[in-house]
Amino acid sequence: MEESRDSNNIIEFVRNKIADEETVYDLAELFKVFGDTTRAKILSCLEVKDLYVGEIAEVLNMSISAVSHQLRVLRNAKLVRGVKEGKEVKYSLDDNHVMMIIECGMSHIKEDK
């Protein structure tokens, strides 16, 4: 009987600490954006330096239209931002959180190597 009450307390405690459904859904959607190799490469480029679409395309040996499409997805996810400079747009990571996510992911995958 005592163990059952402890278990119920633990369950309630954890339920009160975890994020709500909408927040968990948004988190899963964010990680889906990171789940594409091309987008991960673009983010890696922007971690090094702010770049124009053409520069990203050249670094990755991709077409400008393919890079533009992926940048649109990354912008919609608030992972990158673009600043218009003349006729071109220079892209950068949206904020330090994006860099932290990338660095944590890289650290995690390199742990046992």
Side-chain angles (χ1 to χ4, degrees):
M1 192 72 148
E2 181 87 19
E3 188 176 314
S4 177
R5 270 189 272 139
D6 287 343
S7 179
N8 288 338
N9 289 339
I10 291 168
I11 290 167
E12 277 308 305
F13 175 77
V14 173
R15 278 188 181 147
N16 290 327
K17 293 289 183 184
I18 62 174
D20 61 74
E21 286 290 323
E22 184 177 345
T23 302
V24 171
Y25 175 83
D26 290 344
L27 179 64
E29 290 299 307
L30 173 68
F31 282 118
K32 282 182 189 177
V33 175
F34 280 97
D36 178 270
T37 305
T38 299
R39 291 191 290 264
K41 287 178 184 177
I42 291 170
L43 291 170
S44 292
C45 289
L46 296 176
E47 187 178 18
V48 174
K49 182 171 178 23
D50 298 354
L51 297 166
Y52 297 104
V53 177
E55 293 172 327
I56 298 168
E58 196 168 326
V59 169
L60 299 179
N61 294 317
M62 295 176 61
S63 70
I64 289 174
S65 63
V67 170
S68 293
H69 171 73
Q70 296 302 335
L71 284 167
R72 191 169 24 260
V73 173
L74 292 166
R75 257 193 339 265
N76 289 340
K78 297 179 182 150
L79 295 174
V80 301
R81 70 173 66 176
V83 175
K84 193 141 174 106
E85 293 186 0
K87 292 182 177 182
E88 294 192 73
V89 178
K90 189 172 241 183
Y91 286 90
S92 63
L93 298 180
D94 189 67
D95 60 28
N96 284 342
H97 293 117
V98 180
M99 189 175 295
M100 289 169 56
I101 294 167
I102 294 167
E103 288 173 358
C104 284
M106 290 296 217
S107 174
H108 183 72
I109 61 172
K110 291 178 179 180
E111 270 179 357
D112 293 330
K113 289 187 177 181

